[in-house]
Amino acid sequence: MKQLSQIYTVLLLITLLNGCTTISYYTQAVRGHLALTIAGKPVDSLIASEDTPPELRDKLALSREALLFAKDRLRLTPGAAFTDYVVLEQPWVVVNLVAVPEFSLQPHQWCYPVLGCQAYRGYFHLEDARKEEQNYRAKGYDTFIGGVTAYSTLGWFDDPLHSGFTNLADDRMVALMFHELAHQVIYIKGDTAFNESFATAVELEGLRLWLDQKGDSKAFDRALAQLELRNETHALVAATSARLEQLYQQHAVVSPSSLRERKQRLFDELNKRYEQLLTSRSTNIGPFGPPPVAFNNARIALFAQYNQHVPAFRQLLKQSSYDFPAFYGAAETLSRKPDDQRQQALKLLSERFEENF
């Protein structure tokens, strides 16, 4: 009942602060999260129940281990997160819409009370996201809608575990739990790249330590291979992004039709290089899925949000001697810097990381 009271209080505040369109958006968000909350069943009860399928029981038991590890080894504070379990009707819990102007790599920002501005907007129903997407396409924006396996309410509510987690491989489920719990440590309004990169860095190091404790060398090798593939993919995207930025700066002197043609050539080239990278790694699926990929400004902007500052935070973790409370403190100090100083500090940390690894 405490969560229901909190949800209705937040909805009331939002109703007083925003217009009808925004109220409609928040209503679907609150109803969606409320539905998850009501549908949840205690994980411990499901583990103890003879009616629970053995495979699910094992996954739920593993989630309890991961929570203890997150608290004791990563010094995260799960609270009551992931203590209830929900079966979803689809593999994702929400879908995120990203919208970027045709000749820009700066995502549109949606701003919210408490959370600040974000480079994406989440929907519990795909049709709602598609309806909003059409509004931005009509304005000439590049758009992308992607399914999201999990989200964090930043500790405001007790986020449930759900089938989106348990349908993953063991190591991916554990890593995702670490990622979402990390959002409760630090969150900066209006800086999606900082927030997601920080959580990804905690996820990566947490997974490394988890697998090391388990003595699962094969899973650890797979995790390292996935990380290397993601890093190389990020390098490809960064190189293409730099060329696109140069192209878009010419919008005042180059015709829109010429810009579109040259833009598409760059994306076609990125697709080719991405396919070659996967072939060299003997895999058909990478961070963007199997090629060909419908690359556009929105897809690469979203990828950058999750990966841009990961090297910086990995360097900061190393400088903190892999002491997580010290690392969180250093990241918190960094988060309080003015935006320009914070970006410069992250850039220097990334450069240092690239020099050392």
Side-chain angles (χ1 to χ4, degrees):
M1 294 301 296
K2 178 182 177 183
Q3 279 208 346
L4 300 188
S5 175
Q6 289 175 321
I7 289 173
Y8 287 128
T9 299
V10 172
L11 180 57
L12 176 61
L13 290 173
I14 290 167
T15 302
L16 295 173
L17 291 170
N18 296 276
C20 294
T21 300
T22 305
I23 291 174
S24 175
Y25 170 75
Y26 281 113
T27 299
Q28 68 85 30
V30 171
R31 285 176 176 170
H33 186 77
L34 183 58
L36 287 179
T37 301
I38 294 175
K41 296 181 179 180
V43 168
D44 289 340
S45 296
L46 289 170
I47 293 174
S49 173
E50 294 181 356
D51 295 330
T52 302
E55 184 177 352
L56 176 58
R57 184 185 296 112
D58 290 344
K59 285 283 191 178
L60 296 177
L62 185 67
S63 77
R64 302 302 290 162
E65 288 184 48
L67 284 175
L68 288 174
F69 185 88
K71 180 179 179 181
D72 295 341
R73 185 65 181 84
L74 307 184
R75 304 299 293 275
L76 295 168
T77 53
F82 303 141
T83 55
D84 283 350
Y85 181 71
V86 179
V87 177
L88 303 176
E89 296 179 355
Q90 63 282 318
W92 41 263
V93 63
V94 295
V95 292
N96 278 348
L97 168 66
V98 183
V100 183
E102 184 179 15
F103 302 128
S104 171
L105 291 179
Q106 298 305 312
H108 174 78
Q109 298 285 314
W110 284 275
C111 297
Y112 315 94
V114 182
L115 296 179
C117 299
Q118 295 178 329
Y120 49 79
R121 189 159 200 166
Y123 293 86
F124 281 89
H125 299 289
L126 181 58
E127 57 270 25
D128 291 336
R130 286 175 172 166
K131 183 178 179 180
E132 182 73 353
E133 180 185 34
Q134 290 305 315
N135 294 331
Y136 284 90
R137 283 189 173 181
K139 300 175 185 178
Y141 280 60
D142 284 11
T143 61
F144 174 69
I145 293 176
V148 178
T149 306
Y151 66 86
S152 171
T153 58
L154 309 179
W156 281 65
F157 310 111
D158 299 334
D159 299 329
L161 193 73
H162 53 71
S163 53
F165 284 92
T166 55
N167 287 338
L168 297 171
D170 288 354
D171 56 332
R172 294 312 309 150
M173 181 186 79
V174 169
L176 184 58
M177 291 176 66
F178 295 160
H179 181 104
E180 298 306 329
L181 291 173
H183 282 307
Q184 298 185 23
V185 177
I186 298 173
Y187 181 87
I188 302 180
K189 293 181 180 180
D191 197 335
T192 303
F194 182 100
N195 298 327
E196 295 300 344
S197 296
F198 168 78
T200 299
V202 174
E203 166 195 337
L204 292 172
E205 182 61 16
L207 179 60
R208 185 187 71 81
L209 294 171
W210 168 267
L211 294 175
D212 183 60
Q213 174 179 284
K214 291 291 183 181
D216 191 341
S217 59
K218 291 184 178 179
F220 185 55
D221 290 342
R222 287 197 303 271
L224 288 177
Q226 290 171 354
L227 176 58
E228 188 172 354
L229 177 58
R230 179 158 60 179
N231 289 341
E232 292 188 28
T233 304
H234 182 258
L236 291 180
V237 171
T240 299
S241 297
R243 296 173 67 185
L244 285 167
E245 291 279 14
Q246 292 179 343
L247 175 64
Y248 295 158
Q249 290 174 6
Q250 302 176 42
H251 72 277
V253 295
V254 177
S255 69
S257 60
S258 179
L259 283 176
R260 290 187 191 103
E261 181 181 350
R262 293 162 64 180
K263 167 186 173 181
Q264 189 57 52
R265 284 204 301 266
L266 288 175
F267 282 130
D268 289 343
E269 183 179 339
L270 174 60
N271 224 326
K272 181 179 179 181
R273 291 179 179 274
Y274 177 65
E275 184 174 4
Q276 291 172 339
L277 174 61
L278 296 189
T279 300
S280 71
R281 292 290 178 185
S282 300
T283 182
N284 294 322
I285 301 178
F288 288 100
V293 179
F295 282 113
N296 64 15
N297 293 339
R299 289 191 76 120
I300 66 173
L302 180 63
F303 183 74
Q305 296 292 318
Y306 279 78
N307 294 276
Q308 182 178 352
H309 302 311
V310 172
F313 285 112
R314 293 184 70 196
Q315 176 63 27
L316 191 61
L317 183 57
K318 179 184 178 184
Q319 291 178 187
S320 302
S321 300
Y322 296 95
D323 178 287
F324 280 92
F327 169 59
Y328 299 151
E332 177 69 27
T333 298
L334 189 58
S335 74
R336 291 195 295 267
K337 291 181 178 291
D339 182 66
D340 57 340
Q341 294 182 26
R342 185 168 67 250
Q343 298 305 320
Q344 181 60 26
L346 289 167
K347 182 175 181 292
L348 291 174
L349 284 167
S350 292
E351 291 172 353
R352 198 168 303 157
F353 177 83
E354 298 297 339
E355 292 171 359
N356 297 331
F357 283 83

